Amino acid sequence: MTYEYPLVFFTVLGQLAAGIALLICLTGLQKHPAEERRAWIVSLATLAVAGVSAFFHLQSFGATPFALSNVGSSWLSREILLGAIFFVLIALRVWNVLKAGTNWLVGIVGVIFVLVMSQIYAQNAVAPLWHSWGPILSFLGTMLLLGGTAVLALAPDAWERPAVVAGVSSALVGGLFALSMPIFWVGGVLSPLNPVLLGTFATATICVTLTQMTCFAAGGVLTAFGVPGKRMLAQIGFVIILVGAVVGRMLFYAANIRLGG
Amino acid sequence: MARNKKGTGAFSSERRNILKFGALSCAAGAAGGSGLLGLSHLFQPTEAEAFDVPKASDDPFIYTTCVNNCGSTCVLKAFVRNDKVVRIETDDGVEDDWENGIFQIRACPRGRSMRRHMYSPGRLKTPLKRVGKRGEGKFEPVSWDEALDIVAAKLKHCIKEYGNASVYSHYASGVITGPMTRRENFWRLMNLLGGFSLGYSDYSSAQNQAGLRYLYGKPGYSGNAISDIVHTKLAVFFGANLCETRSSGGGLQYEIMEAKRKGNTRIIIIDPRYTDTSVAVADEWIPIRPGTDAALASALAYVLIKENMIDREYLNTHCVGFDVATLPEGAPENSSYSDYIMGTGYDMVPKTPEWAASITGIPAARIYGLAREIGQAKPCYIMQGWGVQRQAAGEMNVMAIAALANLTGNVGLRGGNNGDLDAYHSSKTPRMPIGQNAVKTRFPVFLWLKAVEDGKSMTADQDGIIGGDRYPADIKFIWNYAGNTLINQHSEIAETERVLSDESKCEMIVVMDTHMTSSAKWADIVLPSCMYPEQTDIVGPSYAMNTDWALLTEAVKPFFDSRPVYDVCVDLARRMGVEQEYTEGRDREGWIEHLYQTGTRKIFPEMPATVAEARKLGVHYRAKSRDFPVPFADFRQDPVANPLKTPSGKVELYSAALYALSQKRKLDSNVLGDVIPFVPQYVPTWDGCEDVKAKETYPLQLIGFHYKGRTHSHYANVDWLLEALPQMVWINPIDAAQRGISHNDMVKVSNERGEVHIRAKVTPRIIPGVLAMGQGAWHRPMAQGSKVDVGGCINTLTKYRPTAISRANPMHTNLVQVDRI
Amino acid sequence: MIDLNQELVFVMDSSRCIGCKTCMIACKDKHDNPVGVSWRKVLECTSGDWAQAPDGSYTQNVLAYYMSVACNHCENPICVSVCPTGAMQIVENGIVAIDTDLCVGCGECRWNCPYSAPVLDRAKKHMTKCDMCRDYLAVGKLPACVAACPSRALTIAPRKEAVAKLGRAEAAPLPPSGLTEPNLCLIKHRDSLSVSKSAAVLANREEF
């Protein structure tokens, strides 16, 4: 099993950045410029780390300038393009070149970035595990879950505002829903696999799922205690949830079980 | 962008600029709004100019060979750059024409890995002298002069003090073809010095040779050629894994593939494993428990006799001992073959298919059916491999299978067979003349270790000594050239180590080899040998081929200080004072010229007049029909005029010689199966499937097999081969599930002799209750002297207990347990 | 011998394959590939169950066969369309090859190839794969694997004719041929199983 750590961090952090951008719009954070600015900075920094992490996935950098050559047919080219655009848009917001009125645009580009990212994995060769709604749901779910909890960690006092309650709640509900959906078809997807392979994979799945659920539960509890103004608790809760997302993503890459060996 | 392209010259700066421009314009276009979800094929990939075809390297090549003991010789073309082999190709000198016996002698993965083998990290560079305890593997490099001075001094000492019979040239098969590379180089030297000790028979087919000598008066190598299956509709193989063991593209693997297609022959293979031969050519696989072939053969005989499908006339005129009518005088009562089969013999048990079913694991109904198939096919090609005989009472398996060929009258017929493996019909390659060995007394080769420990106690009656009643010496000096039987390929490694570690017993072990093998670790002096591509020679088909061809090989520069065995023997001869007699005034090239003129050109008069011209020619092939002379055809036609070389001149289903041996030899009645029967029969043995007591602790049978990633232990350290063909133990999913073992898990296979750590191949391709491990992996003890082997060598687990009849190796008779680690 | 300067297919006669892996070693030797980089793979397909009778005898329905597969130089090479830099290209005679100077080693091609044909060479820092020995073809020599096959199971043939006659390879343990339209023709083994069993019967993942 290979875990593709650079991509684990790239995808999870990329989705976190997109989640923050989206939640800024959904929670109307622009009415509190200090909080908003902090959120944009965190989003930008997260995306930067994600981008650096992605570079570790590459073997050589000489030809990276050509990485957009195939944007007509390669989802990877498109992902790089969307990532770059998204990064530039956030940066423009951080330095206030773009005004708050364009927040919706940045949020939507972030969502598109995550959708494009998921298309890289919707491929026949790793059927049946990747070639399904799994990648889209898990990427969007991660985006919503991390975005929602990140906003709480960044602004635990904002919980009293109805817009924040609505935005964060719907993000968390939507995120958990999207993340749990694959459970309903994973059995059918796995059944044609070689029992030996399945055995190893099933063991890993159970371990990882339990770890992930524990992280989510613990993080959720801490966050819940943290939101009435205890910033530290909310932040620790967020980090634990982030760890859960990373662990889950490791399994996602380990599930690269190929048809022909 | 900085680019540094070497060699191929595929890139021009113009093209680079086009690419850059293409990338930029594309990126601009994409930023303009394309590349959204679901539009994956809106744009086609950028139209890049095809990069140039890389230029094939133009290194020159030499013809060389792979001639280890797989029974085939293969042709290699070694491409050479800066005195090193950089690439290997194989024979492409002819178009395949199987029916006329000319086809490409394509190497198998072993030969193709030659380059990696030659330059692998374990390759010996200089002579070595032991500095630690024997077997510890501690050596210091010494010069060739120092090493050979030590060897010569010890040789003189041993000859003087203990006699020539104390100098033993150990069984070794790393080089099978090529007069200048084979083991005769040392034999020639020793014969000039008054002779030396040599075992007889081998580890491959000792029991086959013995059993068939009793039956037919000919020690094995006596069957119809495999291509004869063209002339029959049914071939039944007991074992015989030609596609793995003889996998050369110029050998039997290719022949059986073509012959089956041409003859549309139904092939049934009886084997504990679903071998690659079964995969490729079997119409039916009948799995059987190891060591029970004689039980199956007896049950088949029962049905053949009961349903009157036997050739009674043939049995009366060509055989003795089928029933009372042909039982010789002096035979005990009710001791005929049919008495044993029908239940009127010594044990009063009829050998019914129902009796055999519980022993062999084959359903009784299938045995009835198989007997009828065999009985009704005229002719029927019944054949056995050598795996059936590497058992605790393997001679009986050999004879019982061959008996079937006699019952059905298939001996000496085109398309039939006498039950043995192919007799082989290949052109002869010359060998170095060895002169006469003054030491006439010889022991069964498997008993060499006993000859080290207590050679003088070995007698003709007890130990099968030939050429004398008693062995005249203990072995004090071992010369081991191109072989790994000193440790790795001999049974029960812990026992071998015990005897060899006593430096007062064997005083000098010289190992000359190419790599630091597990045997070389036990040497006192290690001499680095050239490999085949590093020495010139004459080669041709090995023993298990049916073609005629010859090749004069060329050489690349030897690896570091490695040297050819001939040159080393000349240096030893000088030190022993027989250089002139040894060389006869010839140098290496002189010998090759001499052997070419007196040997090769006698067989191939059409070949060029000189060695130099022959080398230019490459492989010389000669056409030959695939219908070979049928062994025993003359005997079949007229058994009186053409008697066999048995005492009676006939096929001895009852063997008076075995009866006599059974009266002379003292056997251990506590050992299950230590008996000498005199008609072919099933013998339950120690560590066999019926050894109930031992099975309480060690419930699984373990067999070895010839693995396609190695020839015996040769090539065992090549990383490319280990990657593609990893050493694993085969286990049926039923046995694996009981022990919680999953495919590719690390397991320990153990018995009281030792323990092997190895990965499990969980596969239904092996009968339940049986494990199989490719033989020949290099023994790697976990620590010095440890009985735990992490190298996967089966001889960690085998038993050094010679068989009752031929004192041969029973390496597939083992009981073990297996657990997850 | 056929004209090698034309579009070709690999023809795999599974009924002749003895699983010896000479093709893999010949390929490694020709291209000087290290351990861990195998462009050609010999897949082992095994299936079967055992049942024991009260008398200790067994019945079974075991089958096994081998298939040697490398890059199939597909009609619809997904590796070419997913490659972000355009390193993966269709070159002369329909061969799919990697322009290694353009490759960043992202591995997209391997992920998307249903045959997992492209392999990362960590030392060379780019993806590598079978190029049908285009250097050999250009000088009239057979690809190394084809010239090596001791059982004459692996051959090459003119593309159009062979595909018309034999179709594109479709049997376990291969993926469905419709994904990429491989230029691989298969002569099936007598026990060949359908592609629907592909994931279940591949028996030797540890060997490549």
Side-chain angles (χ1 to χ4, degrees):
Chain A
M1 291 196 180
T2 51
Y3 296 113
E4 307 282 359
Y5 288 107
L7 295 183
V8 167
F9 289 107
F10 169 69
T11 55
V12 169
L13 295 180
Q15 287 150 25
L16 169 59
I20 293 173
L22 182 65
L23 265 288
I24 289 172
C25 303
L26 290 182
T27 55
L29 221 55
Q30 64 268 29
K31 288 174 194 153
H32 304 267
E35 287 175 8
E36 189 208 356
R37 188 173 157 73
R38 188 160 61 227
W40 282 124
I41 289 170
V42 171
S43 174
L44 186 70
T46 308
L47 192 56
V49 174
V52 170
S53 172
F55 262 86
F56 286 97
H57 171 66
L58 301 184
Q59 298 297 315
S60 59
F61 309 106
T64 42
F66 294 101
L68 299 179
S69 302
N70 240 353
V71 80
S73 70
S74 165
W75 282 108
L76 183 56
S77 288
R78 294 168 187 169
E79 179 198 55
I80 295 164
L81 181 65
L82 262 294
I85 296 171
F86 185 42
F87 185 82
V88 170
L89 288 178
I90 301 172
L92 295 177
R93 269 305 286 130
V94 169
W95 280 281
N96 232 2
V97 179
L98 287 175
K99 298 302 166 198
T102 56
N103 278 3
W104 62 273
L105 175 68
V106 188
I108 285 176
V109 169
V111 173
I112 293 172
F113 170 53
V114 171
L115 287 173
V116 168
M117 200 191 273
S118 75
Q119 288 311 296
I120 288 175
Y121 303 94
Q123 52 182 255
N124 286 306
V126 201
L129 285 162
W130 283 5
H131 187 57
S132 66
W133 286 93
I136 292 189
L137 286 171
S138 113
F139 284 17
L140 286 178
T142 306
M143 176 186 80
L144 292 170
L145 186 69
L146 293 181
T149 45
V151 165
L152 288 184
L154 288 166
D157 305 326
W159 185 251
E160 287 143 22
R161 300 199 285 272
V164 173
V165 174
V168 169
S169 305
S170 40
L172 293 184
V173 170
L176 288 172
F177 178 72
L179 285 174
S180 57
M181 278 301 285
I183 292 169
F184 295 107
W185 69 77
V186 75
V189 153
L190 291 176
S191 62
L193 285 180
N194 187 320
V196 173
L197 211 58
L198 193 58
T200 322
F201 183 67
T203 317
T205 308
I206 291 166
C207 294
V208 169
T209 310
L210 285 178
T211 314
Q212 195 183 17
M213 282 165 67
T214 314
C215 287
F216 286 175
V221 169
L222 282 172
T223 310
F225 278 108
V227 283
K230 289 175 199 147
R231 174 167 292 197
M232 196 62 164
L233 277 185
Q235 281 169 350
I236 295 171
F238 164 74
V239 169
I240 293 175
I241 288 171
L242 185 61
V243 168
V246 166
V247 169
R249 194 54 51 81
M250 283 163 64
L251 178 72
F252 175 83
Y253 284 99
N256 182 341
I257 296 173
R258 314 194 53 80
L259 274 181
Chain B
M1 266 188 312
R3 295 190 173 278
N4 183 13
K5 190 78 186 176
K6 285 180 201 151
T8 64
F11 290 88
S12 62
S13 55
E14 290 87 343
R15 201 185 139 241
R16 280 291 149 221
N17 292 334
I18 295 167
L19 273 174
K20 260 183 191 166
F21 182 68
L24 288 172
S25 62
C26 204
S34 77
L36 292 176
L37 196 64
L39 299 175
S40 68
H41 291 287
L42 191 63
F43 288 80
Q44 287 308 307
T46 38
E47 201 66 35
E49 202 176 304
F51 48 99
D52 298 343
V53 180
K55 196 169 159 289
S57 70
D58 48 8
D59 300 310
F61 71 86
I62 58 164
Y63 273 106
T64 182
T65 184
C66 173
V67 290
N68 54 69
N69 187 8
C70 64
S72 313
T73 303
C74 288
V75 175
L76 301 180
K77 290 160 80 173
F79 290 77
V80 182
R81 194 185 305 158
N82 302 332
D83 288 333
K84 275 186 89 173
V85 177
V86 291
R87 197 168 73 255
I88 294 287
E89 288 180 14
T90 193
D91 188 17
D92 56 3
V94 283
E95 291 287 316
D96 290 334
D97 178 8
W98 176 71
E99 294 193 24
N100 289 309
I102 290 190
F103 38 94
Q104 294 179 5
I105 307 153
R106 294 186 179 182
C108 80
R110 281 121 40 181
R112 293 305 295 256
S113 74
M114 180 63 81
R115 167 168 76 97
R116 197 73 170 178
H117 191 33
M118 288 172 75
Y119 305 124
S120 73
R123 184 80 197 271
L124 295 167
K125 292 176 179 159
T126 64
L128 300 172
K129 186 172 91 174
R130 172 167 69 84
V131 289
K133 275 199 296 210
R134 187 181 277 167
E136 215 171 33
K138 287 184 185 153
F139 297 97
E140 64 178 26
V142 291
S143 69
W144 270 103
D145 274 339
E146 185 182 348
L148 293 183
D149 284 345
I150 295 170
V151 172
K154 200 72 191 176
L155 199 50
K156 281 177 191 159
H157 164 79
C158 288
I159 291 173
K160 184 161 167 271
E161 293 298 318
Y162 312 112
N164 283 69
S166 73
V167 179
Y168 172 56
S169 173
H170 194 19
Y171 178 82
S173 63
V175 183
I176 282 290
T177 317
M180 306 308 293
T181 322
R182 272 181 59 96
R183 51 193 174 193
E184 279 83 0
N185 287 283
F186 183 72
W187 295 0
R188 177 182 171 82
L189 170 65
M190 284 313 300
N191 285 344
L192 289 170
L193 299 173
F196 67 107
S197 156
L198 198 56
Y200 71 84
S201 203
D202 51 43
Y203 285 71
S204 298
S205 67
Q207 300 191 63
N208 174 288
Q209 295 168 30
L212 294 179
R213 192 190 292 109
Y214 288 114
L215 201 63
Y216 291 122
K218 186 175 189 310
Y221 297 96
S222 66
N224 290 39
I226 197 76
S227 47
D228 236 30
I229 65 167
V230 164
H231 301 289
T232 177
K233 289 293 153 222
L234 179 66
V236 180
F237 298 173
F238 288 77
N241 185 11
L242 303 179
C243 290
E244 283 179 77
T245 308
R246 314 252 189 255
S247 54
S248 161
L252 298 197
Q253 168 268 122
Y254 181 60
E255 298 227 23
I256 192 172
M257 200 92 72
E258 294 301 315
K260 178 185 163 62
R261 277 168 166 71
K262 188 181 174 206
N264 194 24
T265 311
R266 175 170 156 76
I267 296 180
I268 297 172
I269 298 184
I270 299 153
D271 199 303
R273 288 194 311 138
Y274 191 77
T275 60
D276 291 340
T277 311
S278 292
V279 168
V281 299
D283 295 276
E284 187 185 352
W285 171 48
I286 299 181
I288 186 170
R289 290 199 183 99
T292 66
D293 302 83
L296 171 62
S298 299
L300 292 170
Y302 178 89
V303 181
L304 289 166
I305 296 169
K306 195 85 175 172
E307 300 188 0
N308 204 21
M309 291 183 289
I310 56 172
D311 188 338
R312 206 163 269 282
E313 195 195 325
Y314 168 86
L315 287 167
N316 285 334
T317 51
H318 289 69
C319 305
V320 296
F322 169 68
D323 57 17
V324 70
T326 53
L327 205 55
E329 270 181 47
E333 247 181 80
N334 301 326
S335 62
S336 75
Y337 179 69
S338 77
D339 279 323
Y340 168 74
I341 297 294
M342 303 313 288
T344 50
Y346 77 94
D347 60 351
M348 302 298 279
V349 176
K351 305 303 176 301
T352 61
E354 291 76 13
W355 165 83
S358 60
I359 298 170
T360 60
I362 304 168
R366 188 65 202 100
I367 299 177
Y368 279 106
L370 179 61
R372 286 166 197 150
E373 272 191 80
I374 291 172
Q376 283 155 14
K378 299 288 177 200
C380 178
Y381 185 95
I382 299 169
M383 187 259 265
Q384 60 181 297
W386 288 343
V388 297
Q389 52 95 51
R390 239 172 264 116
Q391 288 279 351
E395 298 94 345
M396 286 294 117
N397 288 336
V398 173
M399 295 173 75
I401 293 164
L404 291 176
N406 288 281
L407 291 189
T408 50
N410 275 306
V411 178
L413 299 181
R414 174 74 63 202
N417 189 19
N418 60 356
D420 191 14
L421 195 55
D422 201 318
Y424 306 127
H425 307 265
S426 56
S427 62
K428 295 281 171 282
T429 304
R431 286 190 185 176
M432 179 65 79
I434 59 167
Q436 287 295 316
N437 189 348
V439 177
K440 304 288 180 203
T441 321
R442 292 169 73 178
F443 46 81
V445 70
F446 190 52
L447 295 192
W448 69 274
L449 194 68
K450 187 171 181 187
V452 170
E453 188 160 42
D454 196 6
K456 288 181 192 155
S457 76
M458 292 161 68
T459 64
D461 283 353
Q462 272 314 108
D463 304 292
I465 300 294
I466 59 169
D469 291 334
R470 182 171 283 279
Y471 200 70
D474 298 341
I475 289 172
K476 293 291 179 187
F477 184 108
I478 295 176
W479 170 265
N480 184 67
Y481 165 67
N484 203 1
T485 315
L486 194 68
I487 290 287
N488 214 75
Q489 299 302 97
H490 182 67
S491 292
E492 201 171 346
I493 286 172
E495 171 67 6
T496 316
E497 290 182 346
R498 181 188 68 78
V499 175
L500 291 185
S501 58
D502 184 347
E503 292 170 30
S504 72
K505 291 286 182 190
C506 181
E507 296 180 8
M508 169 62 74
I509 298 174
V510 182
V511 170
M512 178 157 181
D513 215 318
T514 54
H515 292 76
M516 184 47 80
T517 63
S518 32
S519 291
K521 287 191 181 135
W522 281 78
D524 301 312
I525 294 287
V526 180
L527 304 176
S529 172
C530 283
M531 293 182 65
Y532 321 126
E534 293 162 347
Q535 44 192 325
T536 51
D537 211 337
I538 308 172
V539 298
S542 187
Y543 61 89
M545 292 176 108
N546 284 330
T547 45
D548 290 354
W549 57 275
L551 169 68
L552 282 104
T553 60
E554 299 153 286
V556 291
K557 192 171 168 239
F559 186 76
F560 289 86
D561 285 346
S562 63
R563 300 180 69 202
V565 68
Y566 171 79
D567 298 10
V568 172
C569 287
V570 170
D571 280 4
L572 275 177
R574 185 179 314 121
R575 286 171 170 79
M576 303 301 286
V578 291
E579 183 182 9
Q580 180 55 31
E581 295 89 327
Y582 188 83
T583 63
E584 294 179 16
R586 298 186 186 95
D587 60 4
R588 183 183 189 88
E589 283 300 297
W591 272 108
I592 290 177
E593 188 70 43
H594 172 71
L595 293 165
Y596 177 68
Q597 299 300 348
T598 56
T600 310
R601 285 197 76 212
K602 287 280 176 294
I603 293 159
F604 298 100
E606 70 276 18
M607 283 188 76
T610 66
V611 166
E613 288 169 280
R615 281 191 182 134
K616 272 196 210 115
L617 172 85
V619 187
H620 175 73
Y621 315 81
R622 187 165 65 195
K624 180 154 82 171
S625 155
R626 294 296 89 189
D627 284 345
F628 298 97
V630 175
F632 303 128
D634 53 348
F635 164 73
R636 179 63 189 251
Q637 270 174 352
D638 188 345
V640 180
N642 309 299
L644 300 179
K645 288 187 179 120
T646 53
S648 64
K650 295 184 178 181
V651 179
E652 299 205 341
L653 290 174
Y654 171 93
S655 168
L658 275 176
Y659 179 71
L661 185 67
S662 74
Q663 301 303 303
K664 280 191 299 196
R665 186 164 287 176
K666 286 194 230 32
L667 297 167
D668 187 347
S669 58
N670 293 320
V671 175
L672 183 63
D674 215 19
V675 292
I676 299 179
F678 24 94
V679 297
Q681 59 188 248
Y682 168 63
V683 177
T685 71
W686 58 270
D687 270 25
C689 65
E690 294 198 85
D691 187 348
V692 183
K693 195 159 172 292
K695 278 179 92 170
E696 284 171 10
T697 327
Y698 302 111
L700 298 169
Q701 288 183 270
L702 169 71
I703 55 170
F705 61 90
H706 287 48
Y707 191 40
K708 51 197 174 185
R710 298 183 290 272
T711 301
H712 304 297
S713 76
H714 202 152
Y715 292 102
N717 62 334
V718 182
D719 55 358
W720 285 353
L721 293 173
L722 287 168
E723 179 193 28
L725 297 156
Q727 173 73 346
M728 298 176 94
V729 63
W730 289 35
I731 178 169
N732 186 286
I734 294 173
D735 298 315
Q738 283 169 3
R739 294 163 175 80
I741 294 169
S742 298
H743 183 68
N744 209 24
D745 275 355
M746 202 61 167
V747 296
K748 62 171 181 186
V749 184
S750 59
N751 60 19
E752 71 230 4
R753 272 100 68 182
E755 183 174 312
V756 171
H757 292 186
I758 187 171
R759 289 196 183 277
K761 181 180 175 76
V762 178
T763 175
R765 291 176 59 179
I766 186 163
I767 188 169
V770 179
L771 306 183
M773 196 186 288
Q775 57 96 348
W778 284 5
H779 177 247
R780 266 192 298 136
M782 204 172 235
Q784 171 64 22
S786 165
K787 283 192 172 187
V788 179
D789 167 31
V790 295
C793 179
I794 192 174
N795 284 319
T796 310
L797 302 162
T798 55
K799 174 116 185 112
Y800 186 36
R801 178 181 277 156
T803 61
I805 294 175
S806 57
R807 295 309 194 198
N809 49 322
M811 281 151 160
H812 301 329
T813 301
N814 309 287
L815 287 177
V816 295
Q817 179 59 288
V818 59
D819 299 288
R820 271 184 75 167
I821 295 180
Chain C
M1 199 158 80
I2 56 165
D3 175 18
L4 299 176
N5 186 17
Q6 60 172 321
E7 295 201 332
L8 297 166
V9 281
F10 285 119
V11 180
M12 177 67 223
D13 185 346
S14 199
S15 74
R16 291 189 76 108
C17 183
I18 57 170
C20 67
K21 302 177 183 171
T22 308
C23 49
M24 292 173 70
I25 302 297
C27 177
K28 261 208 155 82
D29 186 55
K30 151 78 166 66
H31 299 286
D32 211 6
N33 282 334
V35 165
V37 178
S38 296
W39 292 355
R40 186 164 275 287
K41 294 177 283 194
V42 176
L43 310 175
E44 178 193 339
C45 247
T46 297
S47 137
D49 294 302
W50 289 76
Q52 189 171 24
D55 65 356
S57 68
Y58 291 100
T59 48
Q60 44 76 33
N61 59 347
V62 174
L63 64 87
Y65 58 92
Y66 295 100
M67 204 181 286
S68 172
V69 185
C71 171
N72 299 312
H73 305 280
C74 302
E75 281 305 299
N76 182 13
I78 191 160
C79 53
V80 173
S81 51
V82 301
C83 175
T85 63
M88 192 69 83
Q89 297 169 26
I90 302 175
V91 295
E92 76 282 353
N93 293 326
I95 290 170
V96 177
I98 299 173
D99 183 341
T100 53
D101 277 8
L102 276 181
C103 179
V104 293
C106 69
E108 274 299 289
C109 47
R110 179 177 175 82
W111 271 357
N112 282 273
C113 172
Y115 305 89
S116 307
V119 188
L120 174 64
D121 186 325
R122 290 190 184 277
K124 290 182 182 149
K125 296 183 179 299
H126 56 71
M127 302 303 291
T128 61
K129 75 168 194 62
C130 162
D131 65 352
M132 233 182 202
C133 292
R134 53 198 286 236
D135 55 343
Y136 275 13
L137 292 176
V139 295
K141 278 172 80 168
L142 292 170
C145 52
V146 170
C149 182
S151 63
R152 283 72 166 173
L154 184 65
T155 51
I156 49 169
R159 192 173 279 188
K160 279 200 183 62
E161 289 92 314
V163 171
K165 194 171 145 219
L166 298 165
R168 299 186 194 275
E170 179 101 359
L174 300 177
S177 63
L179 295 179
T180 57
E181 298 194 51
N183 282 306
L184 171 69
C185 295
L186 179 67
I187 298 167
K188 288 183 182 173
H189 186 268
R190 61 179 188 277
D191 289 329
S192 193
L193 297 170
S194 103
V195 284
S196 65
K197 296 230 166 53
S198 283
V201 294
L202 180 63
N204 63 335
R205 277 173 202 269
E206 72 283 355
E207 289 176 6
F208 37 78

